[in-house]
Amino acid sequence: MPLTDMPLDELVGYRPQCRAPEDFDAFWADTLAEARRHGEAVKAEPVTDRYLLRTVEVDDVRFPGWQGEPVAAWLIRPRGAQGPLPVVVTYIGYSGGRGLPTDHLLWSAAGYAELVVDTRGQGHDTPDRGEGHGTQWAAGFMTRGIDSPQHYYYRRLMTDCVRAVDAVAELPGLDPERVIVTGGSQGGGLSLSVAGLAPDRVAAVLPDVPFLCHYRRAAECAGDGPYEEIAAYLRWHSPHRVTDAFATLAYFDGVHFAQRATAPALFSVGLMDPVCPPSTVYAAFNHYAGQDRSITVWPFADHGGGYSSTPPVQLAWLRERGLTPG
């Protein structure tokens, strides 16, 4: 995959003018306040024996998300660990869900608790049945409800993700003062949204090759992946739809969440990424409000970023900031 975006020296200084809608903060304050009015208790069922695992304890979790609808998650903890543990809240890439607990053993092997959040409508355990879905113009989720911010799919999903962090305080063995949010691609974009929407509840954020950033640029130059759903929608509709669509997407742009996030942050970017062009990642990184921000650059990487080299970098970075178990 060749370089198809800016050279690195231009990316480092790439900080496009990105102004959030005037009612951005009010929109999200109202959205989250409404979600939090649904006060159902978090439920956790021990299921360790079902998966024949000896070194971890696993709970099948349900917590209230958008409008109180139950969202599935796995809580995975090192067996016998003395809590409260720092907890990694993991969000999943596009078209995926929480899978099985056996897919998520790395963080517990390093001594952390991990809450793996299912993705509404994309995973198998959390349907997207929120009211007011709005219009969908293409396969996938990028245009579902794009006719208005109130109906847009990511309003519901990002609300779920914030509510996952809210749920930490009700789950056993976790330290709500040491919550680390992370994910790759869509999961990276979702972690940025949570860092911006709940800055007082996030101790660190690890957005790995983050999606959902700088939509206009992404739709114009992504060569593969979900941003093409937006381009396809705009290709077949009259020009006024362009303005309307990006007006909706502005409420869900990782750049605007980054402008409101303050926790220490470790981004990553692949310079040969055709799915999340590196300029879109740098747009969010260079607008990030927190002073402690770093980015790992993988010069010849595609959308996989550093692949298996990524976790050791993240673990070392967390250790430097004292966010370790024990």
Side-chain angles (χ1 to χ4, degrees), residues 76-192:
I76 306 169
R77 293 164 291 160
R79 181 168 293 195
Q82 298 298 312
L85 294 173
V87 55
V88 177
V89 180
T90 299
Y91 307 113
I92 306 300
Y94 195 76
S95 78
R98 65 173 182 165
L100 296 176
T102 46
D103 299 328
H104 305 284
L105 298 177
L106 186 145
W107 287 105
S108 59
Y112 294 83
E114 182 178 14
L115 185 67
V116 184
V117 181
D118 201 34
T119 311
R120 66 166 49 236
Q122 299 181 36
H124 297 293
D125 300 316
T126 310
D128 182 28
R129 54 176 176 256
E131 66 180 8
H133 284 190
T135 306
Q136 182 169 357
W137 296 93
F141 297 87
M142 296 302 292
T143 64
R144 182 177 290 188
I146 201 170
D147 49 327
S148 77
Q150 289 74 22
H151 293 160
Y152 192 50
Y153 166 78
Y154 280 96
R155 184 186 186 206
R156 301 188 292 280
L157 178 53
M158 290 176 176
T159 298
D160 292 345
C161 292
V162 173
R163 295 290 284 144
V165 170
D166 291 349
V168 165
E170 298 185 45
L171 288 167
L174 309 185
D175 185 352
E177 299 299 318
R178 293 187 292 167
V179 175
I180 301 150
V181 293
T182 190
S185 190
Q186 176 181 256
L190 294 172
S191 69
L192 267 181

Side-chain angles (χ1 to χ4, degrees), residues 20-37:
E22 290 186 2
D23 65 340
F24 180 92
D25 294 311
F27 171 85
W28 278 109
D30 291 347
T31 296
L32 295 176
E34 171 62 23
R36 287 170 174 148
R37 278 194 283 271

